[in-house]
Coordinates of all heavy atoms in Angstrom, one line a residue:
M1 N 250.3 89.7 122.5 CA 251.6 89.6 121.8 C 252.6 89.4 122.8 O 252.7 90.3 123.8 CB 251.7 90.9 121.0 CG 252.9 90.9 120.1 SD 252.9 92.5 119.1 CE 251.3 92.5 118.5
S2 N 253.5 88.5 122.7 CA 254.6 88.2 123.7 C 255.7 89.2 123.5 O 255.9 89.7 122.4 CB 255.0 86.8 123.6 OG 255.8 86.6 122.4
Q3 N 256.5 89.3 124.5 CA 257.7 90.1 124.4 C 258.7 89.5 123.4 O 259.4 90.3 122.7 CB 258.5 90.2 125.8 CG 257.7 91.0 126.8 CD 258.4 91.0 128.1 OE1 259.4 90.3 128.4 NE2 258.0 91.9 129.0
D4 N 258.8 88.3 123.2 CA 259.6 87.7 122.2 C 259.2 88.1 120.8 O 260.0 88.4 120.0 CB 259.7 86.2 122.4 CG 260.4 85.6 123.6 OD1 261.3 86.5 124.1 OD2 260.2 84.5 124.0
E5 N 257.9 88.1 120.6 CA 257.4 88.5 119.3 C 257.7 89.9 119.0 O 258.1 90.3 117.8 CB 255.9 88.3 119.2 CG 255.4 86.8 119.2 CD 253.9 86.7 119.3 OE1 253.3 87.3 120.1 OE2 253.4 85.9 118.5
V6 N 257.5 90.8 120.0 CA 257.8 92.2 119.8 C 259.3 92.4 119.5 O 259.7 93.1 118.6 CB 257.4 93.0 121.1 CG1 257.9 94.5 120.9 CG2 255.9 92.9 121.2
L7 N 260.2 91.7 120.3 CA 261.6 91.8 120.1 C 262.0 91.4 118.7 O 262.7 92.0 118.0 CB 262.4 91.0 121.2 CG 263.9 90.9 121.0 CD1 264.4 92.3 121.2 CD2 264.4 90.0 122.1
Q8 N 261.4 90.3 118.2 CA 261.7 89.8 116.9 C 261.2 90.8 115.8 O 262.0 91.0 114.9 CB 261.0 88.4 116.6 CG 261.4 87.8 115.3 CD 260.7 86.5 115.1 OE1 259.8 86.1 115.8 NE2 261.3 85.6 114.2
M9 N 260.1 91.4 116.0 CA 259.6 92.3 115.1 C 260.5 93.6 115.0 O 260.8 94.1 114.0 CB 258.2 92.8 115.4 CG 257.1 91.7 115.1 SD 255.5 92.0 115.7 CE 255.1 93.5 114.8
T10 N 261.0 94.0 116.2 CA 261.9 95.1 116.3 C 263.2 94.8 115.6 O 263.8 95.6 114.8 CB 262.2 95.5 117.7 OG1 260.9 95.8 118.4 CG2 263.1 96.7 117.8
E11 N 263.8 93.6 115.9 CA 265.1 93.2 115.3 C 265.0 93.0 113.8 O 266.0 93.3 113.1 CB 265.5 92.0 116.0 CG 266.0 92.1 117.4 CD 266.4 90.9 118.1 OE1 266.1 89.8 117.6 OE2 267.1 91.0 119.2
N12 N 263.8 92.6 113.3 CA 263.7 92.5 111.9 C 263.4 93.8 111.1 O 263.2 93.8 110.0 CB 262.5 91.4 111.6 CG 262.9 90.0 112.0 OD1 264.1 89.7 112.1 ND2 262.0 89.2 112.2
G13 N 263.2 94.8 111.9 CA 262.9 96.1 111.4 C 261.4 96.4 110.9 O 261.1 97.3 110.3
H14 N 260.5 95.5 111.4 CA 259.2 95.6 111.1 C 258.5 96.7 111.9 O 257.5 97.3 111.4 CB 258.4 94.3 111.3 CG 258.9 93.2 110.4 ND1 258.6 93.2 109.0 CD2 259.6 92.1 110.6 CE1 259.1 92.0 108.5 NE2 259.8 91.4 109.5
I15 N 259.0 97.0 113.1 CA 258.4 98.1 113.9 C 259.6 98.9 114.5 O 260.7 98.4 114.6 CB 257.5 97.6 115.0 CG1 258.2 96.7 116.0 CG2 256.2 96.9 114.4 CD1 257.4 96.3 117.2
E16 N 259.3 100.1 114.9 CA 260.3 101.0 115.6 C 260.5 100.4 117.0 O 259.6 99.9 117.6 CB 259.8 102.4 115.7 CG 259.7 103.1 114.4 CD 261.0 103.5 113.9 OE1 261.8 103.9 114.6 OE2 261.2 103.3 112.6
P17 N 261.8 100.6 117.5 CA 262.0 100.1 118.8 C 261.3 101.1 119.8 O 261.2 102.3 119.5 CB 263.6 100.2 119.0 CG 264.0 101.1 117.8 CD 262.9 101.0 116.8
F18 N 260.9 100.5 121.0 CA 260.2 101.3 121.9 C 260.9 102.5 122.4 O 260.4 103.6 122.6 CB 259.7 100.5 123.1 CG 258.9 101.3 124.2 CD1 257.7 101.8 123.8 CD2 259.5 101.6 125.3 CE1 257.0 102.6 124.7 CE2 258.9 102.4 126.3 CZ 257.6 102.9 125.9
P19 N 262.2 102.5 122.7 CA 262.9 103.7 123.2 C 262.8 104.8 122.2 O 262.7 106.0 122.7 CB 264.4 103.2 123.3 CG 264.3 101.7 123.6 CD 263.1 101.3 122.8
A20 N 262.9 104.5 120.9 CA 262.7 105.7 119.9 C 261.3 106.3 120.0 O 261.1 107.5 119.9 CB 263.0 105.1 118.5
I21 N 260.3 105.4 120.2 CA 258.9 105.9 120.3 C 258.8 106.7 121.6 O 258.1 107.7 121.6 CB 257.9 104.7 120.2 CG1 258.0 104.0 118.9 CG2 256.5 105.2 120.5 CD1 257.6 104.8 117.7
L22 N 259.4 106.2 122.7 CA 259.2 106.9 123.9 C 259.8 108.3 123.8 O 259.3 109.3 124.4 CB 259.8 106.2 125.1 CG 259.8 106.8 126.5 CD1 258.3 107.0 126.9 CD2 260.5 105.8 127.5
E23 N 260.9 108.5 123.2 CA 261.6 109.8 122.9 C 260.7 110.7 122.2 O 260.5 111.9 122.6 CB 262.9 109.6 122.2 CG 263.7 110.8 122.0 CD 265.0 110.6 121.3 OE1 265.6 109.5 121.6 OE2 265.4 111.4 120.4
K24 N 260.0 110.2 121.2 CA 259.0 111.0 120.5 C 257.8 111.4 121.4 O 257.3 112.5 121.3 CB 258.4 110.3 119.3 CG 259.5 110.1 118.2 CD 258.9 109.3 117.0 CE 260.0 109.2 115.9 NZ 259.5 108.6 114.7
A25 N 257.4 110.4 122.2 CA 256.3 110.7 123.2 C 256.6 111.9 124.1 O 255.8 112.7 124.4 CB 255.9 109.5 123.9
R26 N 257.8 111.9 124.5 CA 258.3 112.9 125.5 C 258.4 114.3 124.8 O 258.4 115.3 125.4 CB 259.6 112.5 126.0 CG 259.4 111.4 127.0 CD 260.4 111.2 128.1 NE 259.9 110.4 129.2 CZ 260.6 109.3 129.6 NH1 261.6 108.9 129.0 NH2 260.0 108.6 130.6
E27 N 258.4 114.3 123.4 CA 258.4 115.6 122.7 C 257.0 116.1 122.8 O 256.8 117.3 122.7 CB 258.8 115.4 121.2 CG 260.3 115.1 121.1 CD 260.7 114.7 119.7 OE1 259.9 114.8 118.7 OE2 261.9 114.2 119.5
Y28 N 256.0 115.2 122.8 CA 254.6 115.7 122.9 C 254.1 116.0 124.3 O 253.4 116.9 124.5 CB 253.7 114.6 122.3 CG 253.7 114.6 120.8 CD1 254.6 113.8 120.1 CD2 252.8 115.3 120.1 CE1 254.6 113.8 118.7 CE2 252.7 115.3 118.7 CZ 253.7 114.6 118.1 OH 253.7 114.6 116.7
R29 N 254.6 115.2 125.3 CA 254.2 115.3 126.6 C 255.4 115.1 127.6 O 256.0 114.0 127.4 CB 253.1 114.3 127.0 CG 251.8 114.5 126.3 CD 250.9 115.5 127.0 NE 249.7 115.7 126.2 CZ 249.1 116.8 126.1 NH1 249.5 117.9 126.6 NH2 247.9 116.8 125.4
S30 N 255.7 116.0 128.5 CA 256.6 115.6 129.5 C 255.9 115.0 130.6 O 254.7 115.1 130.8 CB 257.3 116.9 130.0 OG 256.4 117.9 130.5
G31 N 256.6 114.3 131.5 CA 256.0 113.6 132.6 C 256.6 112.3 132.7 O 257.5 111.8 132.1
K32 N 255.9 111.5 133.6 CA 256.2 110.1 134.0 C 255.5 109.1 133.1 O 254.3 109.2 132.9 CB 255.9 109.9 135.4 CG 256.2 108.5 136.0 CD 255.9 108.4 137.5 CE 256.2 107.0 137.9 NZ 255.9 106.9 139.3
L33 N 256.3 108.1 132.6 CA 255.6 107.0 131.9 C 254.9 106.1 132.8 O 255.5 105.7 133.8 CB 256.8 106.2 131.2 CG 256.3 104.9 130.5 CD1 255.4 105.3 129.3 CD2 257.5 104.1 130.1
L34 N 253.6 105.9 132.6 CA 252.8 105.1 133.4 C 252.6 103.7 132.9 O 252.7 102.7 133.5 CB 251.4 105.7 133.6 CG 251.3 107.0 134.4 CD1 249.9 107.5 134.5 CD2 251.9 106.8 135.8
E35 N 252.4 103.7 131.6 CA 252.1 102.3 130.9 C 252.4 102.5 129.4 O 252.1 103.5 128.8 CB 250.6 102.0 131.1 CG 250.3 100.6 130.5 CD 248.8 100.3 130.7 OE1 248.0 101.1 131.2 OE2 248.5 99.1 130.5
A36 N 252.8 101.4 128.8 CA 253.0 101.3 127.4 C 252.7 100.0 126.9 O 253.0 99.0 127.6 CB 254.5 101.8 127.1
K37 N 252.1 99.9 125.8 CA 251.8 98.6 125.2 C 251.8 98.7 123.7 O 251.6 99.8 123.1 CB 250.5 98.0 125.7 CG 249.2 98.8 125.4 CD 248.1 98.2 126.0 CE 246.8 99.1 125.8 NZ 245.6 98.4 126.3
L38 N 252.0 97.5 123.0 CA 251.9 97.5 121.6 C 250.7 96.6 121.2 O 250.5 95.5 121.7 CB 253.1 96.8 121.0 CG 253.2 96.6 119.6 CD1 253.3 97.9 118.8 CD2 254.4 95.7 119.1
D39 N 249.8 97.2 120.4 CA 248.5 96.6 120.1 C 248.4 96.6 118.5 O 249.1 97.3 117.9 CB 247.2 97.4 120.6 CG 247.0 97.1 122.0 OD1 247.3 96.0 122.6 OD2 246.4 98.0 122.7
C40 N 247.6 95.7 118.1 CA 247.2 95.6 116.6 C 245.8 96.1 116.5 O 244.9 95.5 117.0 CB 247.4 94.2 116.1 SG 247.2 94.2 114.3
I41 N 245.7 97.3 115.9 CA 244.4 97.9 115.8 C 244.1 98.1 114.4 O 244.9 98.8 113.7 CB 244.3 99.3 116.6 CG1 244.7 99.1 118.1 CG2 243.0 100.0 116.3 CD1 244.9 100.4 118.8
N42 N 243.0 97.5 113.9 CA 242.7 97.6 112.5 C 243.8 97.2 111.6 O 244.1 97.9 110.6 CB 242.1 99.0 112.1 CG 240.8 99.4 112.9 OD1 240.0 98.5 113.2 ND2 240.7 100.6 113.2
Q43 N 244.5 96.2 111.9 CA 245.6 95.6 111.1 C 246.8 96.6 111.1 O 247.6 96.6 110.1 CB 245.2 95.2 109.7 CG 244.1 94.1 109.7 CD 243.7 93.7 108.3 OE1 244.0 94.4 107.3 NE2 242.9 92.7 108.2
R44 N 246.9 97.4 112.1 CA 248.0 98.4 112.2 C 248.6 98.3 113.6 O 247.9 98.3 114.6 CB 247.4 99.8 112.1 CG 248.3 100.9 112.2 CD 247.6 102.1 112.3 NE 248.1 103.1 111.4 CZ 247.5 104.3 111.2 NH1 246.4 104.6 111.8 NH2 248.1 105.2 110.5
Y45 N 249.9 98.1 113.7 CA 250.6 98.0 115.0 C 250.7 99.4 115.5 O 251.2 100.4 114.9 CB 252.0 97.4 114.9 CG 251.8 95.9 114.6 CD1 252.2 95.4 113.4 CD2 251.5 95.1 115.6 CE1 252.1 94.0 113.2 CE2 251.4 93.7 115.4 CZ 251.6 93.1 114.2 OH 251.5 91.9 114.0
V46 N 250.3 99.6 116.8 CA 250.2 100.9 117.5 C 250.8 100.8 118.8 O 250.4 99.9 119.6 CB 248.7 101.4 117.5 CG1 248.7 102.7 118.3 CG2 248.2 101.5 116.1
Y47 N 251.7 101.6 119.2 CA 252.2 101.8 120.5 C 251.2 102.7 121.3 O 250.9 103.9 120.7 CB 253.6 102.4 120.6 CG 254.7 101.5 120.3 CD1 255.4 101.7 119.1 CD2 255.2 100.6 121.2 CE1 256.5 100.9 118.8 CE2 256.2 99.8 121.0 CZ 256.9 99.9 119.7 OH 258.0 99.1 119.5
E48 N 250.7 102.4 122.4 CA 249.8 103.1 123.2 C 250.5 103.5 124.5 O 251.0 102.6 125.2 CB 248.5 102.4 123.6 CG 247.7 102.1 122.3 CD 246.3 101.5 122.6 OE1 246.0 101.5 123.8 OE2 245.6 101.2 121.7
I49 N 250.7 104.7 124.7 CA 251.6 105.2 125.9 C 250.7 106.1 126.8 O 250.1 107.1 126.3 CB 252.8 105.9 125.4 CG1 253.6 105.0 124.5 CG2 253.6 106.5 126.5 CD1 254.7 105.7 123.8
D50 N 250.7 105.9 128.1 CA 250.1 106.7 129.0 C 251.1 107.5 129.8 O 252.0 106.8 130.4 CB 249.2 105.9 130.0 CG 247.9 105.3 129.4 OD1 247.5 105.9 128.3 OD2 247.4 104.4 129.9
M51 N 251.0 108.8 129.9 CA 252.0 109.6 130.6 C 251.3 110.4 131.7 O 250.1 110.9 131.4 CB 252.7 110.6 129.6 CG 253.4 110.1 128.4 SD 255.0 109.3 128.9 CE 255.9 110.7 129.1
L52 N 251.9 110.6 132.8 CA 251.4 111.4 133.8 C 252.0 112.8 133.7 O 253.2 112.9 134.0 CB 251.7 110.8 135.2 CG 251.2 111.5 136.4 CD1 249.6 111.6 136.4 CD2 251.6 110.9 137.7
D53 N 251.2 113.8 133.4 CA 251.7 115.2 133.3 C 252.1 115.8 134.6 O 251.6 115.3 135.7 CB 250.7 116.1 132.7 CG 250.6 116.0 131.1 OD1 251.6 115.5 130.5 OD2 249.8 116.6 130.5
H54 N 252.8 116.8 134.6 CA 253.2 117.5 135.8 C 252.0 118.1 136.6 O 252.1 118.3 137.8 CB 254.2 118.5 135.6 CG 255.5 118.0 135.1 ND1 256.4 117.2 135.8 CD2 256.1 118.1 133.8 CE1 257.4 116.8 135.1 NE2 257.3 117.3 133.8
D55 N 250.9 118.3 135.9 CA 249.7 118.8 136.5 C 248.8 117.7 137.0 O 247.7 117.9 137.5 CB 248.9 119.7 135.6 CG 248.4 118.9 134.3 OD1 248.7 117.7 134.2 OD2 247.8 119.6 133.4
G56 N 249.3 116.4 137.0 CA 248.6 115.3 137.6 C 247.6 114.6 136.6 O 246.8 113.7 137.0
Q57 N 247.5 115.1 135.3 CA 246.6 114.5 134.3 C 247.3 113.4 133.6 O 248.5 113.4 133.2 CB 246.2 115.6 133.4 CG 245.4 116.8 134.0 CD 244.1 116.3 134.6 OE1 243.3 115.6 133.9 NE2 243.8 116.7 135.7
I58 N 246.5 112.3 133.4 CA 247.1 111.2 132.6 C 246.7 111.5 131.1 O 245.6 111.8 130.8 CB 246.4 109.8 133.0 CG1 246.8 109.6 134.4 CG2 246.8 108.7 132.0 CD1 246.1 108.3 135.0
R59 N 247.7 111.4 130.3 CA 247.6 111.7 128.8 C 247.9 110.5 128.0 O 249.0 109.8 128.2 CB 248.5 112.8 128.4 CG 248.5 114.1 129.2 CD 247.1 114.8 129.0 NE 247.1 116.0 129.8 CZ 246.1 116.8 129.9 NH1 245.0 116.5 129.3 NH2 246.1 117.9 130.7
A60 N 247.0 110.1 127.2 CA 247.2 109.0 126.3 C 247.8 109.4 125.0 O 247.3 110.4 124.3 CB 245.9 108.2 126.1
L61 N 248.8 108.7 124.5 CA 249.4 109.0 123.2 C 249.5 107.7 122.4 O 249.7 106.7 123.0 CB 250.8 109.5 123.4 CG 251.0 110.8 124.2 CD1 252.5 111.0 124.6 CD2 250.5 112.0 123.4
R62 N 249.4 107.9 121.1 CA 249.5 106.7 120.2 C 250.4 107.0 119.1 O 250.4 108.1 118.6 CB 248.1 106.3 119.7 CG 247.2 105.8 120.7 CD 245.9 105.3 120.1 NE 245.0 104.8 121.2 CZ 243.7 104.6 121.0 NH1 243.2 104.7 119.8 NH2 243.0 104.1 122.0
F63 N 251.2 106.0 118.7 CA 252.2 106.1 117.7 C 252.1 104.9 116.8 O 252.0 103.8 117.3 CB 253.6 106.2 118.2 CG 253.8 107.5 118.9 CD1 253.5 107.6 120.3 CD2 254.4 108.6 118.3 CE1 253.7 108.8 120.9 CE2 254.6 109.8 118.9 CZ 254.3 109.9 120.3
D64 N 252.1 105.1 115.4 CA 252.2 104.0 114.5 C 253.6 103.3 114.7 O 254.6 103.9 114.7 CB 252.1 104.6 113.1 CG 252.1 103.5 112.0 OD1 253.1 102.7 112.0 OD2 251.1 103.4 111.3
A65 N 253.5 102.0 115.0 CA 254.7 101.3 115.4 C 255.7 101.1 114.2 O 256.9 100.9 114.3 CB 254.4 99.9 116.0
V66 N 255.1 101.1 112.9 CA 256.0 100.9 111.7 C 256.6 102.2 111.4 O 257.8 102.2 111.1 CB 255.1 100.4 110.6 CG1 255.9 100.3 109.3 CG2 254.5 99.0 111.0
T67 N 255.9 103.3 111.3 CA 256.4 104.6 110.9 C 256.9 105.5 112.0 O 257.7 106.4 111.7 CB 255.4 105.4 110.1 OG1 254.4 105.8 111.0 CG2 254.9 104.6 108.9
G68 N 256.5 105.3 113.2 CA 256.9 106.1 114.3 C 256.0 107.4 114.4 O 256.2 108.3 115.2
R69 N 255.0 107.5 113.5 CA 254.2 108.7 113.4 C 253.3 108.8 114.5 O 252.6 107.8 114.9 CB 253.5 108.8 112.0 CG 252.7 110.0 111.7 CD 252.1 110.1 110.4 NE 251.0 109.2 110.2 CZ 249.8 109.5 110.4 NH1 249.5 110.7 110.8 NH2 248.8 108.6 110.3
H70 N 253.1 110.0 115.1 CA 252.1 110.3 116.2 C 250.7 110.3 115.6 O 250.5 110.7 114.5 CB 252.4 111.7 116.8 CG 251.3 112.0 117.8 ND1 250.3 112.9 117.5 CD2 251.1 111.6 119.1 CE1 249.6 113.1 118.7 NE2 250.1 112.3 119.6
L71 N 249.8 109.5 116.3 CA 248.4 109.4 115.8 C 247.5 110.1 116.7 O 247.7 110.0 117.9 CB 248.1 108.0 115.7 CG 248.9 107.0 114.9 CD1 248.5 105.5 115.2 CD2 248.8 107.3 113.5
D72 N 246.6 110.9 116.2 CA 245.5 111.5 117.0 C 244.7 110.3 117.5 O 244.6 109.2 116.8 CB 244.6 112.4 116.1 CG 245.4 113.6 115.7 OD1 246.2 114.1 116.5 OD2 245.0 114.2 114.7
L73 N 244.1 110.4 118.6 CA 243.3 109.3 119.2 C 242.2 108.9 118.3 O 241.7 107.8 118.4 CB 242.7 109.7 120.5 CG 243.8 109.9 121.7 CD1 243.2 110.3 123.0 CD2 244.6 108.6 121.8
E74 N 241.7 109.8 117.4 CA 240.6 109.5 116.5 C 241.1 108.6 115.3 O 240.3 108.1 114.5 CB 239.9 110.7 115.9 CG 239.2 111.6 117.0 CD 240.2 112.4 117.8 OE1 241.1 113.0 117.2 OE2 240.0 112.6 119.0
E75 N 242.4 108.4 115.2 CA 243.0 107.8 114.0 C 243.1 106.3 114.2 O 244.0 105.6 113.6 CB 244.3 108.3 113.7 CG 244.3 109.6 113.1 CD 245.7 110.0 112.6 OE1 246.2 109.3 111.6 OE2 246.2 111.0 113.0
D76 N 242.2 105.7 115.0 CA 242.3 104.2 115.1 C 242.1 103.5 113.8 O 242.3 102.5 113.6 CB 241.3 103.7 116.2 CG 241.6 104.2 117.6 OD1 242.7 104.8 117.8 OD2 240.8 103.9 118.5

């Protein structure tokens, strides 16, 4: 998925903007953002975010891109 496609989906209101999702991610895990991507998993747009905790552990978080809801890793 290209950046232009993601921008268009955000501007059209089809998905939540990444800054809003990142803010939610920081409510679950503090630390440094390592990587973020938008994927389509099982016909569902999902933001996948990797954060580096203060203890040095990498934590993966997933959010539904349409609703902004946090997803357990098992909820693919």
Side-chain angles (χ1 to χ4, degrees):
M1 183 173 320
S2 74
Q3 288 182 347
D4 289 337
E5 290 172 314
V6 173
L7 180 61
Q8 184 176 18
M9 290 172 59
T10 301
E11 288 176 347
N12 291 337
H14 295 288
I15 62 172
E16 292 285 318
F18 179 70
I21 298 296
L22 181 58
E23 186 175 320
K24 290 180 183 190
R26 290 202 163 122
E27 291 173 9
Y28 282 88
R29 296 278 182 213
S30 60
K32 180 180 178 179
L33 173 66
L34 294 178
E35 181 180 10
K37 62 183 177 176
L38 178 66
D39 282 333
C40 187
I41 301 172
N42 297 328
Q43 299 180 350
R44 173 193 232 174
Y45 287 106
V46 175
Y47 282 107
E48 296 186 5
I49 300 171
D50 291 339
M51 303 283 288
L52 180 64
D53 275 351
H54 297 293
D55 63 0
Q57 298 293 312
I58 296 174
R59 307 291 181 185
L61 300 168
R62 291 186 182 168
F63 292 85
D64 184 298
V66 176
T67 65
R69 187 173 71 90
H70 177 257
L71 303 172
D72 290 330
L73 291 179
E74 295 82 36
E75 287 188 62
D76 290 356

